Structures are given as structure tokens and as C-alpha cells.
Amino acid sequence: GNIGTIHWYNRRKVTKENQKAYCMFVGLGTLIVGVGIIAGAVIEALGNIAASGLAIGVGVLIGLIFILYAQFKYNRGLF
């Protein structure tokens, strides 16, 4: 796939040994964000708007934690 968050320009400071771990954390974070958004849409379609916002918020928050953890641990910063 073409996942922009794991392209070379976002991981240019990641060493060759850490590339797999970095990509796994960022990919997992991206997956969690997507699942949270889909779960929120399904819950909203079922009529519970408050729970929908909660599902989206939790999914995005947890996913971003994974992505930022990988960025700071393996890339030594955001850029």
C-alpha cells in the first residue's frame, strides 16, 4: 500500500536495524485510527452519537500515541 506516514521522508533518521519496528508501530497506529473512525461511523449509524464521538476520539488518541512513540523513539523527533 501507499501509506504516507511510513514513507522515507518521514523516517530518514531511522537506522536500517530499526526500520521494521518503526514501520510496525506507525502502521499499527494508522490501523487503530482507521478502526476507531469506522467504529464511530457504525455506532453513529446505529443512532448513538455520543458513543460515536467517544469511539472516534479513543481510536485517534491511541493511534496517535503509537505513531508519536515511533517518531520520537526511532526517528529522534517529528521531522
Side-chain angles (χ1 to χ4, degrees):
N2 190 10
I3 300 173
T5 53
I6 58 177
H7 279 266
W8 69 270
Y9 51 82
N10 287 325
R11 61 177 172 79
R12 61 183 158 212
K13 297 177 191 169
V14 179
T15 63
K16 191 74 169 168
E17 306 85 51
N18 292 330
Q19 281 182 1
K20 184 174 181 179
Y22 172 81
C23 291
M24 287 182 62
F25 272 108
V26 172
L28 183 60
T30 304
L31 180 71
I32 292 170
V33 169
V35 167
I37 291 171
I38 291 170
V42 169
I43 292 170
E44 185 175 344
L46 296 174
N48 194 342
I49 295 174
S52 168
L54 181 64
I56 292 172
V58 169
V60 168
L61 180 66
I62 293 172
L64 282 177
I65 288 171
F66 273 85
I67 293 168
L68 291 174
Y69 171 77
Q71 280 294 107
F72 283 104
K73 179 172 179 160
Y74 299 114
N75 201 42
R76 297 182 303 263
L78 288 177
F79 303 104

